[in-house]
Amino acid sequence: EKQMKVEIFVTGIISTNCYVVSNEETKEAVIVDPAAYPKKLKSYLQENELQVKAILLTHGHFDHIMGIDGVLEDYQVPVYVHEDEAELITDPILNESNTYTNGYTYDKAEYIREGQILKLIGYEFQVIHTPGHTSGGVSYYVASENVLFSGDTLFHGSVGRTDFKTSSMSALIHSIREKLFLLPDETVVYPGHMGATTIGTEKKINPYV
């Protein structure tokens, strides 16, 4: 049985959850939302002899992407982001990096779309387009493992901000209700900030939806 391991690194200036998702059997890994590439993350990959195969972005805000260059120096891998995020990830004003840093963009991403299945590290990562926080936000769902990486769409007892240029509160609520809440209740939700939760818990307690 291929065991999926999810290691969380809280990193960057807004305490973003960066996830290293690895297949313990094959030692292959993907990185979800590298906010930064700190020593502890680099060391973890090296000490566990992990072969990074891809970077998966839930969306293009600066606090989810500023570690990309560091990772790519060590591992030449594709960077996946939704096609509707192309403008945001390449614009330092839209991705808010101008506000907090000297500006950061990434323009070599591979663009993905709703329903696409990324076959990586022995698992299938299903792309669920969840616009609202940004227009090209996605969640990644691994059905076999009951795991969802929700980015800044759904949090424990909360939802992502919708006061950015490509945001929409109605779209966000629709994404959660009509897409994420259709997943099994036992699905573990790994969000972009704060602690993990489950779909069942959020259906019961989330005041926004």
Side-chain angles (χ1 to χ4, degrees):
E1 178 62 10
K2 296 193 286 269
Q3 196 53 50
M4 174 187 267
K5 183 175 185 195
V6 179
E7 191 75 18
I8 306 169
F9 293 85
V10 180
T11 187
I13 57 180
I14 308 192
S15 297
T16 304
N17 292 328
C18 167
Y19 297 101
V20 176
V21 185
S22 57
N23 180 324
E24 300 219 80
E25 193 188 333
T26 64
K27 294 292 196 185
E28 295 179 330
V30 297
I31 298 176
V32 180
D33 289 349
Y37 190 50
K39 271 203 188 68
K40 63 180 179 180
L41 172 52
K42 187 182 172 104
S43 304
Y44 174 81
L45 296 172
Q46 289 170 343
E47 283 161 18
N48 291 281
E49 296 175 354
L50 296 176
Q51 294 300 123
V52 179
K53 294 296 178 184
I55 292 171
L56 305 183
L57 303 179
T58 59
H59 63 294
H61 275 153
F62 84 97
D63 61 313
H64 294 252
I65 67 173
M66 287 187 69
I68 291 175
D69 292 351
V71 175
L72 295 182
E73 277 175 31
D74 288 349
Y75 308 93
Q76 277 80 55
V77 298
V79 176
Y80 295 106
V81 73
H82 191 272
E83 57 194 358
D84 291 351
E85 211 69 339
E87 186 189 8
L88 186 142
I89 197 172
T90 56
D91 182 334
I93 294 170
L94 280 183
N95 70 32
E96 301 288 319
S97 61
N98 251 17
T99 309
Y100 295 90
T101 73
N102 294 328
Y104 180 84
T105 58
Y106 184 75
D107 63 6
K108 295 179 190 66
E110 293 195 21
Y111 294 111
I112 55 176
R113 60 184 62 88
E114 168 73 38
Q116 196 168 334
I117 304 278
L118 300 175
K119 291 188 174 165
L120 296 163
I121 72 170
Y123 303 104
E124 294 192 347
F125 291 79
Q126 181 187 336
V127 177
I128 304 176
H129 183 210
T130 46
H133 176 68
T134 65
S135 59
V138 302
S139 297
Y140 295 98
Y141 176 51
V142 186
S144 66
E145 307 300 304
N146 275 323
V147 162
L148 179 82
F149 298 94
S150 65
D152 290 359
T153 298
L154 179 63
F155 297 126
H156 179 40
S158 189
V159 297
R161 284 172 57 182
T162 54
D163 55 343
F164 300 108
K165 287 192 186 69
T166 73
S167 300
S168 156
M169 180 54 99
S170 60
L172 184 81
I173 299 307
H174 184 267
S175 291
I176 295 170
R177 277 193 188 141
E178 306 300 322
K179 293 184 177 179
L180 300 188
F181 278 3
L182 301 184
L183 299 175
D185 281 355
E186 63 271 19
T187 306
V188 177
V189 178
Y190 290 107
H193 304 273
M194 302 177 290
T197 181
T198 67
I199 291 294
T201 298
E202 295 314 305
K203 278 187 188 167
K204 282 198 200 77
I205 64 128
N206 196 300
Y208 293 87
V209 280

